[in-house]
Amino acid sequence: MKIGILGGGQLARMLALAGYPLGFEFVVLCPAADACAAPMSEHLCAGFDDSEALQLLASRVDRVTYEFESVPAETVEYLNDLVPVYPPPQALATSRDRLHEKKLFNKLGIDTAPFMAVESLDDLQQAAARIGLPAILKTRTLGYDGKGQQRLHEHSQLSSAWEEIDAAAAILEGLVPFERELSIIAARSLSGEMVFYPLCENRHEAGILHFSTSLQDDPMQELAEDYAQRLLEHLDYVGVVAIEFFQLDDQLLANEMAPRVHNSGHWTIEGAVTSQFENHLRAVAGLPLGSTELTGHSGMLNLIGELPDIDAVLAIPGAHLHLYGKAPQPGRKLGHITLCMNSEKKLKQALTQMPGI
Ligand code: AMP
């Protein structure tokens, strides 16, 4: 089977790496000439609005999937008339807009931080009065990794924050004094079978994921699975989804969903029987899903902006290095390291040798 991927970054690269053992082939559509998935696939170097390239892609593949949620809606709609696109376009449309996403969570009984839609400075002032400060102003679309966000502590900041986000449609969201940031990776197949990975705990720096650890028998697992199941069933979902939560006491507040493989699931390559990448492909291809059981205790560190001493990393027992073939640049995700150990104690020990932990 040939699978088309919209976007040619590291997620597409890792999908291709997971797919070759299953006999899949890949065609990647990405406007960047140096797309890091290009060496693992046939690369159509064109824009997402290039209808000739979209037709060519559809004629070459059996299914299309995507690696990021900012793919234009028209691109997905156009393709979906020619070839099945998974996860379903409705999931993509929901996740692209923070307001729709949060409204859907609440409609499905999934808790969130308090939020209000903001379309003007006047709205922002009213929302700040209703929700209270501190709060976060987030653009509804095109915000990721902490981009398009302003933290507000005082009412005097409101007008400059509104100017800063360039008067884009936004939401104001209460700042959650969370105890932990958690995410669940789940998958649903074409036949409706669902699997859930054990929760992982995430640490962000400057809004970018820095470190994730897989958890065992976490008390919040059942609730997270219940929430994921509601979302997957409602969207008639096919593929892998990630839902990020804030934990506050015994509550899980959903922050966002990603209708794709996710950075907080990279540890599953070595740390679970079937990786998130393989399960996404299995789902998209209409195959049975694989076991999500843990193979050990895992911790994943993102390599952002610069690379560490590779020799030192590989000298750590149980360390697995994944480089994405990208030129170093500040803030750029260049690769990740996963430590997978057979005990929590060993993982903690090994972590002390990791760069930047
Ligand atoms: P986001 O772009 O929504 O994924 O936010 C990036 C990061 O900012 C999150 O992972 C949190 O660390 C932090 N953050 C976002 N929203 C909130 C919130 N409502 N309360 C507290 N921290 C938040």
Side-chain angles (χ1 to χ4, degrees):
M1 180 178 281
K2 251 192 192 174
I3 297 179
I5 307 178
L6 301 174
Q10 65 267 20
L11 299 180
R13 179 179 170 112
M14 287 186 273
L15 280 168
L17 287 169
Y20 281 115
L22 293 171
F24 296 135
E25 290 176 86
F26 297 88
V27 182
V28 158
L29 177 72
C30 181
D34 60 350
C36 76
M40 282 82 191
S41 59
E42 185 183 335
H43 179 200
L44 298 180
C45 188
F48 298 111
D49 57 353
D50 181 335
S51 53
E52 253 174 56
L54 295 178
Q55 269 173 28
L56 187 61
L57 175 69
S59 69
R60 295 259 180 98
V61 301
D62 307 290
R63 302 274 196 280
V64 168
T65 189
Y66 44 88
E67 63 143 24
F68 70 117
E69 47 270 48
S70 310
V71 189
E74 308 78 53
T75 302
V76 171
E77 277 156 25
Y78 185 85
L79 280 171
N80 202 33
D81 285 340
L82 304 172
V83 62
V85 177
Y86 300 122
Q90 192 201 343
L92 184 71
T94 306
S95 72
R96 196 186 290 118
D97 185 322
R98 288 185 191 275
L99 182 64
H100 292 162
E101 184 178 58
K102 291 212 151 66
K103 280 186 169 171
L104 177 63
F105 287 148
N106 288 175
K107 180 178 148 185
L108 298 176
I110 301 171
D111 293 331
T112 60
F115 66 92
M116 281 177 74
V118 170
E119 287 185 2
S120 64
L121 179 57
D122 195 38
D123 285 353
L124 178 57
Q125 280 157 346
Q126 284 184 33
R130 176 92 63 91
I131 289 171
L133 298 182
I136 307 190
L137 180 65
K138 298 180 176 180
T139 54
R140 278 173 58 175
T141 57
L142 298 176
Y144 64 95
D145 285 348
K147 293 187 178 80
Q149 293 190 13
Q150 293 284 319
R151 289 191 179 217
L152 305 173
H153 297 275
E154 288 166 24
H155 288 269
S156 60
Q157 289 175 283
L158 299 188
S159 65
S160 60
W162 183 244
E163 268 172 40
E164 187 71 33
I165 68 159
D166 214 8
I171 58 168
L172 185 73
E173 190 179 294
L175 192 74
V176 180
F178 56 78
E179 285 137 45
R180 297 189 295 172
E181 283 195 84
L182 303 172
S183 58
I184 190 159
I185 310 285
R188 186 169 181 270
S189 72
L190 261 175
S191 66
E193 174 197 7
M194 279 179 274
V195 292
F196 306 91
Y197 287 89
L199 277 166
C200 63
E201 180 169 357
N202 304 319
R203 259 188 10 227
H204 292 82
E205 278 181 11
I208 302 182
L209 182 69
H210 176 59
F211 187 65
S212 288
T213 343
S214 65
L215 302 171
Q216 293 204 355
D217 305 320
D218 193 84
M220 304 313 288
Q221 181 75 30
E222 203 181 319
L223 183 59
E225 287 190 15
D226 174 30
Y227 284 172
Q229 182 168 345
R230 291 184 207 187
L231 193 67
L232 290 173
E233 281 176 347
H234 175 82
L235 292 168
D236 196 14
Y237 199 86
V238 175
V240 157
V241 72
I243 311 175
E244 294 183 84
F245 297 105
F246 302 127
Q247 186 195 348
L248 191 58
D249 303 318
D250 59 354
Q251 261 191 313
L252 283 181
L253 305 177
N255 181 36
E256 57 185 3
M257 65 170 276
R260 55 171 169 81
V261 287
H262 192 255
N263 197 169
S264 69
H266 289 1
W267 60 270
T268 62
I269 296 176
E270 291 87 11
V273 173
T274 316
S275 76
Q276 62 163 348
F277 300 99
E278 182 173 336
N279 262 337
H280 185 72
L281 296 170
R282 287 188 188 212
V284 164
L287 297 171
L289 301 177
S291 164
T292 53
E293 240 177 85
L294 297 178
T295 57
H297 296 257
S298 297
M300 189 272 337
L301 175 75
N302 266 340
L303 302 174
I304 299 170
E306 54 182 5
L307 293 176
D309 176 352
I310 301 300
D311 281 28
V313 169
L314 293 178
I316 305 171
H320 301 269
L321 178 67
H322 297 256
L323 296 180
Y324 307 150
K326 293 177 173 177
Q329 216 177 73
R332 201 172 198 200
K333 288 177 183 168
L334 303 176
H336 71 267
I337 303 164
T338 300
L339 289 176
C340 188
M341 315 297 279
N342 60 13
S343 79
E344 202 173 348
K345 191 169 155 220
K346 282 190 188 159
L347 176 64
K348 280 195 176 140
Q349 232 165 27
L351 284 176
T352 61
Q353 300 168 53
M354 289 268 268
I357 290 281

